[in-house]
Amino acid sequence: MIIKHLSEHKTFWFLTALGWTIFVAFTCLINSNDLPSIEIEVIGIDKIIHFLFHFIFTLLWSIYYFSKEKKVTQKRLTTIVIISLLFGIIIEWLQASFTLTRQADVLDIIFNSGGAILAGLIVYLTLKKYPIANT
């Protein structure tokens, strides 16, 4: 039922996915000295954030394409995951090349990939379990 209602709001989902994409790019490229400091020191919080950025990125773009096309094919879902992976790699390259307070990190790319792949898998399994939502 919820999945069918997603298709009624394609403009909302497009703007949400686009907004999230811009937010991720901005957050990853802004001068790190301008970011608020987190009082709680959590080991690996940076990696968790990278994972969540790309997990949400993949979910939002999948929801948008579902709302637009009334389905998300395996090919479309694979494309969304690959775009998320490439987006993460480009962000890391931009950090290394054009920022003074950020640096590229292979572990960030690994966690970006994990978030994108897990979200893609969840979308795939959800649509496989509820095939009526993907027709």
Side-chain angles (χ1 to χ4, degrees):
M1 186 77 168
I2 292 173
I3 293 174
K4 283 195 166 194
H5 290 297
L6 293 177
S7 65
E8 299 172 4
H9 306 287
K10 65 183 171 188
T11 302
F12 169 79
W13 289 113
F14 174 74
L15 293 175
T16 302
L18 182 62
W20 184 257
T21 302
I22 293 167
F23 170 77
V24 169
F26 178 77
T27 304
C28 290
L29 296 174
I30 191 172
N31 183 333
S32 62
N33 295 332
D34 294 339
L35 292 173
S37 62
I38 299 173
E39 296 295 323
I40 303 170
E41 185 64 32
V42 178
I43 297 173
I45 189 75
D46 173 59
K47 304 309 176 224
I48 294 168
I49 290 170
H50 277 271
F51 180 90
L52 289 173
F53 275 174
H54 288 270
F55 182 87
I56 295 169
F57 177 99
T58 303
L59 283 180
L60 289 175
W61 282 108
S62 297
I63 292 169
Y64 164 67
Y65 278 104
F66 178 81
S67 71
K68 180 181 175 202
E69 300 170 358
K70 308 298 185 250
K71 64 182 177 179
V72 178
T73 63
Q74 188 173 353
K75 182 179 177 181
R76 172 71 73 191
L77 186 55
T78 302
T79 301
I80 293 168
V81 170
I82 290 170
I83 289 171
S84 180
L85 300 176
L86 292 174
F87 180 61
I89 291 168
I90 290 168
I91 292 290
E92 292 300 315
W93 176 77
L94 290 171
Q95 285 180 340
S97 302
F98 298 105
T99 66
L100 298 175
T101 61
R102 300 293 186 118
Q103 58 188 15
D105 185 354
V106 174
L107 281 178
D108 288 348
I109 294 171
I110 291 169
F111 278 83
N112 295 347
S113 302
I117 291 167
L118 181 61
L121 184 61
I122 288 170
V123 170
Y124 174 77
L125 293 174
T126 300
L127 295 175
K128 188 174 179 179
K129 182 173 180 170
Y130 302 103
I132 191 163
N134 204 30
T135 57

